Amino acid sequence: MKKDAEDIKVNKRKNDKVYFESTLIQNISDGIDFLRDESKEILKELDLNGIDEFDLEEFGRDTLDQIDDIVDDMSKFKSEIINSDDFPQSVKKSYRDTQMYLNRDDDYVRRARRKFNKLESDEIVDFYKTNIRVIELCSKAIEVNNTNFDAYYLKGQALINLEEYDDAIDEFINALSIEDNTEVWLAIANANRLNYEFGDAISVYDKILNEDKDSFEALKGKAYTYFDWEDFKKADEFFKKANSIEYLDEESMRTWGESLEKLG
């Protein structure tokens, strides 16, 4: 065991609120308090405004996020308390089999995706810690079920965010061994481009275009790759092709404009 139960101590009591020495236990306690207080406010709001003026969708999303954070903190705390290395291999195998039967791998992926999606929202999150936690949760899912496609793919995306491109590509290849998927091939090509492996990136984009010559994402990816490679003539060519299929976003239009400026 990593810790004794007696290590979970109450530090002080103030205004009937309990404070714990353990940061994780404190986070769990604060999360439960938040849900309790929030539910009181919601009931007041419902009473004052009626159900028609209450944003149930936002409430549901925020509540699920809060519950997810509490569950995640409890999971971290369990990992601190229990060291799986202390258990015989037969016990660990039986545990994994049970976890797989209960689809726990999908639960881990669902929690990882919820955290990953927060990175693209307006919420203030710790970018590094959130991606690390996504990787940890996906690794737990893979430990339970090493054929979980989504776990490898999401883990690869989090690794790209941390600029661990080689490791990300390894995870994407694992995903491809389970399911041949265009989105994963695009992710590999993008990872190569971000890693300045421009030749490899072009090869992967070409593979996608051989199967779908009108792949907007692959054409745009090639344009960006040639731009980064300072082949502005090719960048112009592929930005033009991509834009003929679907209107380019503002950032891509700006980069295309820079290519044209370089060409004079």
Side-chain angles (χ1 to χ4, degrees):
M1 295 291 181
K2 293 182 179 179
K3 288 186 176 182
D4 294 327
E6 63 184 21
D7 289 339
I8 309 168
K9 297 177 181 177
V10 174
N11 192 28
K12 60 180 178 178
R13 184 181 292 273
K14 180 180 179 182
N15 297 331
D16 293 330
K17 179 173 177 61
V18 177
Y19 292 84
F20 297 90
E21 289 184 358
S22 167
T23 303
L24 278 174
I25 289 294
Q26 188 63 56
N27 288 341
I28 294 167
S29 176
D30 290 344
I32 293 170
D33 287 344
F34 172 84
L35 286 176
R36 183 196 62 216
D37 296 340
E38 191 73 4
S39 64
K40 291 179 182 177
E41 292 301 317
I42 289 163
L43 289 172
K44 288 179 184 177
E45 191 171 339
L46 283 171
D47 186 52
L48 291 172
N49 300 327
I51 193 71
D52 292 338
E53 297 182 29
F54 184 70
D55 192 339
L56 284 174
E57 182 179 350
E58 182 179 353
F59 164 63
R61 183 174 59 251
D62 292 346
T63 301
L64 284 173
D65 285 344
Q66 189 66 33
I67 292 171
D68 178 71
D69 288 341
I70 294 172
V71 170
D72 198 48
D73 284 334
M74 292 175 70
S75 176
K76 289 182 194 175
F77 180 70
K78 182 187 72 173
S79 296
E80 285 192 2
I81 295 295
I82 300 174
N83 187 346
S84 63
D85 292 337
D86 294 338
F87 296 99
Q89 194 64 35
S90 58
V91 173
K92 288 191 283 187
K93 182 181 184 305
S94 177
Y95 176 74
R96 279 196 300 270
D97 290 344
T98 302
Q99 294 282 83
M100 188 170 179
Y101 176 76
L102 295 173
N103 295 322
R104 291 291 186 239
D105 54 312
D106 287 338
D107 290 339
Y108 286 129
V109 171
R110 194 158 39 246
R111 285 163 54 193
R113 185 175 288 110
R114 188 177 292 278
K115 290 189 175 298
F116 189 84
N117 289 342
K118 285 184 180 180
L119 295 169
E120 300 176 354
S121 70
D122 294 330
E123 298 181 49
I124 298 174
V125 296
D126 187 315
F127 184 82
Y128 177 79
K129 286 184 178 179
T130 300
N131 280 292
I132 288 294
R133 188 54 182 162
V134 169
I135 291 167
E136 289 173 348
L137 288 167
C138 289
S139 296
K140 285 177 177 289
I142 292 165
E143 186 177 348
V144 173
N145 179 7
N146 62 9
T147 63
N148 190 309
F149 169 87
D150 291 332
Y152 289 113
Y153 181 51
L154 191 55
K155 185 177 179 181
Q157 289 179 302
L159 285 164
I160 282 183
N161 284 345
L162 297 178
E163 300 182 6
E164 301 287 344
Y165 302 118
D166 290 334
D167 289 341
I169 289 172
D170 286 343
E171 298 302 330
F172 291 140
I173 290 171
N174 286 330
L176 286 174
S177 71
I178 299 166
E179 176 187 325
D180 191 5
N181 184 288
T182 301
E183 291 298 318
V184 180
W185 284 111
L186 281 168
I188 290 174
N190 293 336
N192 278 316
R193 176 175 69 82
L194 292 169
N195 204 28
Y196 303 102
E197 300 288 345
F198 300 130
D200 290 341
I202 294 296
S203 295
V204 180
Y205 287 129
D206 282 342
K207 178 197 179 303
I208 297 167
L209 289 166
N210 285 337
E211 297 177 5
D212 177 10
K213 63 183 178 61
D214 293 329
S215 171
F216 171 76
E217 292 297 335
L219 290 168
K220 187 173 79 168
K222 279 190 77 169
Y224 268 107
T225 304
Y226 281 122
F227 178 84
D228 292 342
W229 214 351
E230 299 186 357
D231 187 339
F232 302 113
K233 185 176 180 180
K234 284 283 191 182
D236 172 42
E237 176 188 344
F238 284 97
F239 275 128
K240 188 178 298 181
K241 286 183 178 180
N243 195 56
S244 69
I245 294 169
E246 183 180 323
Y247 288 125
L248 291 168
D249 56 88
E250 187 177 334
E251 181 183 350
S252 298
M253 289 295 290
R254 186 167 53 249
T255 306
W256 187 9
E258 290 180 30
S259 298
L260 295 174
E261 287 178 10
K262 296 287 185 180
L263 290 172

